[in-house]
Amino acid sequence: MPIIAVAGAFAGASALATGTLTAFQTIAAVGSIVGGIGAVTGNKTMMKIGAVAGLAGGIGAFAQGQGWIGDGGASSAADAVSMADDVYGGSSLSAGSSAMDIAASQASAFGDSFQPMTDMSGGGLMDSGPIAATASTPATDMSATQTANPLVAQSPTVKPTDVAKPVPGKKGVLDTLSGFFDNKDMKSIAANFVGGMFDEEKKQKAEYYKTAADTARAKMENGKAVPRMDFRLKPKEDIFNAQSPTYNGVRPSGLMFAGK
Amino acid sequence: MLKNTLLQQAQAKIEEGVTDRERYDKLVKAGTRIIYDEATFKQLSQGITEAENPIEDVAKGMAAILNMMAHKARGTIPHDVFIQAGMALLLDALDFMEQAGLVTVTSDVLDEATREYIEALLPTVGLTPEKLGAALDSLKETMGDPQRMTAYEQSRGAK
């Protein structure tokens, strides 16, 4: 197993085990990234996938909050480890192992300097440890001499780009997201609730009806309005001399034509 | 500071969605240090120059580096921050590759890199296509229920 893949397996196990974010929140985050990049590059497919992921993530997280569905994905460390194993094709990561057990069993892959982290705060990410401690001078050219980075220098045949290759012909995660709303039923449901975001004609119709409904509603409100019959007169000070001995107060009937 | 204007726009777009700026900055900084560490950089650059598809390789390399950081952070950082920070690192790497004359970053290149990055990263956090499909399937009942969807719409309106 490539060294990076081992690191990946650890990450997958430990990150999911804490349950810091549900599957749906992750899907929503992916939607934000993919949709954002699609908007910049003008790629409509990516915008659609981003919108689908954002919508699915949002609805999923809400539904979870309401208790309508489960966690929508792996929720246990064992499940996560099992998945990491599937991804990297490793046989040594058993579903019953904890992340730390795996770390211990695979520690030799990182060399003697690998120490499982005991600081659970994550605050030391930048300060020390096997990665940052060896991050010395930034390389300035491609021929920079190799130094001892325990995470990458153990095997000259392993490259940081050695990650699990997807199985050819197998559907990827983005295909899965895209395919979700290509289902006719889902398209129809989405059209009803999000203004037909995946169907241009339906979207335009939805916008037209929304505008028409707004206009009708405004007219109805106007029609319902009862005119106020009480007069609120604010005569200009210079029209009537309230100090005059002949001034007898405001007489509405007389004021109707006062300004003419 | 990115030199390519398309990448600059993409970076701005990504950062629009960042809610935990402190952790995001910290991760980007840590990731940059890892990428430009002599040993990592040499292997990355060698892998990229020898690769048949350097875009695919750099995207997968970023996903792998992100996994190292995730392991080191021990799950204390939410996935969304990791995903956003990883994308920022990928943009940085693409910009560097363009400066080094390895690629010309166009819209198509950026799209491909993003797809490869997501495809490489999600399975490592447990979201394989199968798991994702199962999660999406679990939504069908909710999405088919007008009352639930109305409640969802109302919750969005309340925000």
Side-chain angles (χ1 to χ4, degrees), chain B residues 38-50:
Chain B
E38 282 187 41
T40 320
F41 185 82
K42 190 184 178 194
Q43 289 205 356
L44 265 175
S45 55
Q46 190 182 339
I48 289 164
T49 47
E50 290 172 0

Side-chain angles (χ1 to χ4, degrees), chain A residues 4 11-12 16 20 41 43 72 83 88 100 120 126 131 134 138-139 142 144-145 149 152 158 161 171 173-174 189, chain B residues 26 30 34 36-38 42-43 45 57 64 67-68 72 74-76 111 119 124-126 129-130 135 143 149:
Chain A
I4 299 295
L16 269 185
T20 50
T41 62
N43 185 321
M83 279 190 294
Y88 296 107
M100 286 308 289
M120 300 300 280
M126 286 293 298
I131 298 173
T134 55
M142 303 285 188
T145 54
N149 185 331
V152 294
V158 174
T161 50
K171 256 173 76 171
V173 285
L174 296 182
I189 289 167
Chain B
K26 202 172 177 181
I34 294 169
Y36 294 105
D37 167 62
E38 282 187 41
K42 190 184 178 194
Q43 289 205 356
S45 55
D57 272 32
N67 272 327
M68 283 188 198
K72 204 158 161 53
R74 289 220 155 273
T76 54
D111 286 344
E119 292 288 356
T124 67
V125 296
E130 293 76 21
M143 293 186 70
M149 288 304 289

